[in-house]
mmCIF file of all heavy atoms in Angstrom:
data_model
loop_
_atom_site.group_PDB
_atom_site.id
_atom_site.type_symbol
_atom_site.label_atom_id
_atom_site.label_comp_id
_atom_site.label_asym_id
_atom_site.label_seq_id
_atom_site.Cartn_x
_atom_site.Cartn_y
_atom_site.Cartn_z
ATOM 1 N N ARG A 220 -4.581 -6.262 -17.700
ATOM 2 C CA ARG A 220 -3.134 -6.429 -17.569
ATOM 3 C C ARG A 220 -2.374 -5.113 -17.413
ATOM 4 O O ARG A 220 -1.151 -5.113 -17.406
ATOM 5 C CB ARG A 220 -2.536 -7.234 -18.737
ATOM 6 C CG ARG A 220 -2.835 -8.724 -18.668
ATOM 7 C CD ARG A 220 -2.050 -9.513 -19.725
ATOM 8 N NE ARG A 220 -2.165 -10.951 -19.461
ATOM 9 C CZ ARG A 220 -1.349 -11.644 -18.695
ATOM 10 N NH1 ARG A 220 -0.337 -11.040 -18.109
ATOM 11 N NH2 ARG A 220 -1.524 -12.944 -18.522
ATOM 12 N N HIS A 221 -3.075 -4.010 -17.249
ATOM 13 C CA HIS A 221 -2.386 -2.746 -17.055
ATOM 14 C C HIS A 221 -2.070 -2.526 -15.572
ATOM 15 O O HIS A 221 -2.851 -2.883 -14.694
ATOM 16 C CB HIS A 221 -3.222 -1.577 -17.578
ATOM 17 C CG HIS A 221 -3.070 -1.362 -19.046
ATOM 18 N ND1 HIS A 221 -2.861 -0.119 -19.604
ATOM 19 C CD2 HIS A 221 -3.059 -2.237 -20.083
ATOM 20 C CE1 HIS A 221 -2.754 -0.232 -20.918
ATOM 21 N NE2 HIS A 221 -2.874 -1.508 -21.225
ATOM 22 N N THR A 222 -0.902 -1.938 -15.325
ATOM 23 C CA THR A 222 -0.536 -1.508 -13.975
ATOM 24 C C THR A 222 -0.545 0.020 -13.959
ATOM 25 O O THR A 222 -0.131 0.668 -14.926
ATOM 26 C CB THR A 222 0.858 -2.020 -13.581
ATOM 27 O OG1 THR A 222 1.835 -1.506 -14.487
ATOM 28 C CG2 THR A 222 0.894 -3.549 -13.594
ATOM 29 N N TYR A 223 -1.017 0.578 -12.856
ATOM 30 C CA TYR A 223 -1.147 2.025 -12.731
ATOM 31 C C TYR A 223 -0.400 2.481 -11.475
ATOM 32 O O TYR A 223 -0.847 2.228 -10.356
ATOM 33 C CB TYR A 223 -2.621 2.419 -12.653
ATOM 34 C CG TYR A 223 -3.418 2.040 -13.883
ATOM 35 C CD1 TYR A 223 -4.084 0.820 -13.953
ATOM 36 C CD2 TYR A 223 -3.482 2.893 -14.987
ATOM 37 C CE1 TYR A 223 -4.810 0.456 -15.089
ATOM 38 C CE2 TYR A 223 -4.208 2.547 -16.121
ATOM 39 C CZ TYR A 223 -4.860 1.328 -16.169
ATOM 40 O OH TYR A 223 -5.578 0.977 -17.299
ATOM 41 N N ALA A 224 0.729 3.126 -11.684
ATOM 42 C CA ALA A 224 1.505 3.690 -10.578
ATOM 43 C C ALA A 224 0.990 5.097 -10.319
ATOM 44 O O ALA A 224 1.308 6.027 -11.052
ATOM 45 C CB ALA A 224 2.987 3.705 -10.923
ATOM 46 N N ILE A 225 0.169 5.240 -9.296
ATOM 47 C CA ILE A 225 -0.503 6.515 -9.084
ATOM 48 C C ILE A 225 0.375 7.462 -8.274
ATOM 49 O O ILE A 225 1.232 7.041 -7.483
ATOM 50 C CB ILE A 225 -1.887 6.350 -8.423
ATOM 51 C CG1 ILE A 225 -1.763 5.884 -6.974
ATOM 52 C CG2 ILE A 225 -2.739 5.369 -9.222
ATOM 53 C CD1 ILE A 225 -3.076 5.929 -6.222
ATOM 54 N N ALA A 226 0.169 8.760 -8.488
ATOM 55 C CA ALA A 226 0.961 9.787 -7.816
ATOM 56 C C ALA A 226 0.184 11.098 -7.810
ATOM 57 O O ALA A 226 -0.684 11.315 -8.657
ATOM 58 C CB ALA A 226 2.292 9.981 -8.540
ATOM 59 N N ALA A 227 0.516 11.960 -6.838
ATOM 60 C CA ALA A 227 -0.083 13.290 -6.798
ATOM 61 C C ALA A 227 0.949 14.356 -6.455
ATOM 62 O O ALA A 227 0.875 15.474 -6.942
ATOM 63 C CB ALA A 227 -1.227 13.334 -5.795
ATOM 64 N N LEU A 228 1.924 14.012 -5.598
ATOM 65 C CA LEU A 228 2.915 14.985 -5.155
ATOM 66 C C LEU A 228 4.243 14.276 -4.942
ATOM 67 O O LEU A 228 4.295 13.206 -4.327
ATOM 68 C CB LEU A 228 2.471 15.625 -3.835
ATOM 69 C CG LEU A 228 3.454 16.601 -3.186
ATOM 70 C CD1 LEU A 228 3.535 17.900 -3.991
ATOM 71 C CD2 LEU A 228 3.039 16.902 -1.749
ATOM 72 N N ASN A 229 5.324 14.871 -5.446
ATOM 73 C CA ASN A 229 6.674 14.361 -5.208
ATOM 74 C C ASN A 229 7.376 15.248 -4.194
ATOM 75 O O ASN A 229 7.307 16.479 -4.282
ATOM 76 C CB ASN A 229 7.469 14.309 -6.518
ATOM 77 C CG ASN A 229 6.889 13.298 -7.497
ATOM 78 O OD1 ASN A 229 6.612 12.163 -7.128
ATOM 79 N ND2 ASN A 229 6.707 13.704 -8.750
ATOM 80 N N MET A 230 8.053 14.628 -3.214
ATOM 81 C CA MET A 230 8.659 15.382 -2.121
ATOM 82 C C MET A 230 9.957 14.711 -1.691
ATOM 83 O O MET A 230 10.041 13.485 -1.649
ATOM 84 C CB MET A 230 7.693 15.445 -0.927
ATOM 85 C CG MET A 230 8.216 16.232 0.279
ATOM 86 S SD MET A 230 7.103 16.165 1.712
ATOM 87 C CE MET A 230 5.714 17.139 1.126
ATOM 88 N N THR A 231 10.965 15.518 -1.323
ATOM 89 C CA THR A 231 12.203 14.946 -0.807
ATOM 90 C C THR A 231 11.964 14.350 0.581
ATOM 91 O O THR A 231 11.066 14.782 1.319
ATOM 92 C CB THR A 231 13.313 16.006 -0.696
ATOM 93 O OG1 THR A 231 12.938 16.967 0.302
ATOM 94 C CG2 THR A 231 13.559 16.686 -2.036
ATOM 95 N N PHE A 232 12.786 13.379 0.948
ATOM 96 C CA PHE A 232 12.683 12.811 2.284
ATOM 97 C C PHE A 232 13.019 13.867 3.337
ATOM 98 O O PHE A 232 12.415 13.882 4.414
ATOM 99 C CB PHE A 232 13.615 11.595 2.416
ATOM 100 C CG PHE A 232 13.159 10.401 1.632
ATOM 101 C CD1 PHE A 232 13.878 9.949 0.534
ATOM 102 C CD2 PHE A 232 12.003 9.731 1.978
ATOM 103 C CE1 PHE A 232 13.453 8.854 -0.197
ATOM 104 C CE2 PHE A 232 11.557 8.624 1.255
ATOM 105 C CZ PHE A 232 12.288 8.186 0.167
ATOM 106 N N GLN A 233 13.939 14.755 3.034
ATOM 107 C CA GLN A 233 14.271 15.812 3.983
ATOM 108 C C GLN A 233 13.049 16.677 4.289
ATOM 109 O O GLN A 233 12.754 16.972 5.460
ATOM 110 C CB GLN A 233 15.403 16.687 3.443
ATOM 111 C CG GLN A 233 15.835 17.761 4.435
ATOM 112 C CD GLN A 233 16.840 18.730 3.843
ATOM 113 O OE1 GLN A 233 16.758 19.087 2.660
ATOM 114 N NE2 GLN A 233 17.803 19.169 4.653
ATOM 115 N N ASP A 234 12.323 17.072 3.259
ATOM 116 C CA ASP A 234 11.137 17.907 3.476
ATOM 117 C C ASP A 234 10.057 17.151 4.243
ATOM 118 O O ASP A 234 9.359 17.721 5.095
ATOM 119 C CB ASP A 234 10.580 18.399 2.142
ATOM 120 C CG ASP A 234 11.445 19.479 1.507
ATOM 121 O OD1 ASP A 234 12.299 20.047 2.222
ATOM 122 O OD2 ASP A 234 11.263 19.754 0.306
ATOM 123 N N PHE A 235 9.910 15.855 3.957
ATOM 124 C CA PHE A 235 8.905 15.053 4.664
ATOM 125 C C PHE A 235 9.276 14.917 6.143
ATOM 126 O O PHE A 235 8.433 15.089 7.022
ATOM 127 C CB PHE A 235 8.781 13.689 3.998
ATOM 128 C CG PHE A 235 7.807 12.766 4.666
ATOM 129 C CD1 PHE A 235 6.570 13.215 5.107
ATOM 130 C CD2 PHE A 235 8.121 11.420 4.856
ATOM 131 C CE1 PHE A 235 5.662 12.357 5.732
ATOM 132 C CE2 PHE A 235 7.224 10.563 5.473
ATOM 133 C CZ PHE A 235 5.998 11.031 5.910
ATOM 134 N N TYR A 236 10.535 14.618 6.415
ATOM 135 C CA TYR A 236 10.954 14.496 7.813
ATOM 136 C C TYR A 236 10.793 15.823 8.548
ATOM 137 O O TYR A 236 10.442 15.855 9.730
ATOM 138 C CB TYR A 236 12.411 14.034 7.902
ATOM 139 C CG TYR A 236 12.678 12.646 7.340
ATOM 140 C CD1 TYR A 236 13.981 12.205 7.151
ATOM 141 C CD2 TYR A 236 11.640 11.790 6.996
ATOM 142 C CE1 TYR A 236 14.240 10.946 6.637
ATOM 143 C CE2 TYR A 236 11.890 10.534 6.474
ATOM 144 C CZ TYR A 236 13.201 10.120 6.289
ATOM 145 O OH TYR A 236 13.460 8.884 5.766
#
Side-chain angles (χ1 to χ4, degrees):
R220 286 189 169 271
H221 277 227
T222 60
Y223 298 92
I225 69 171
L228 176 71
N229 294 312
M230 181 185 291
T231 66
F232 289 112
Q233 183 187 37
D234 287 345
F235 178 43
Y236 296 169

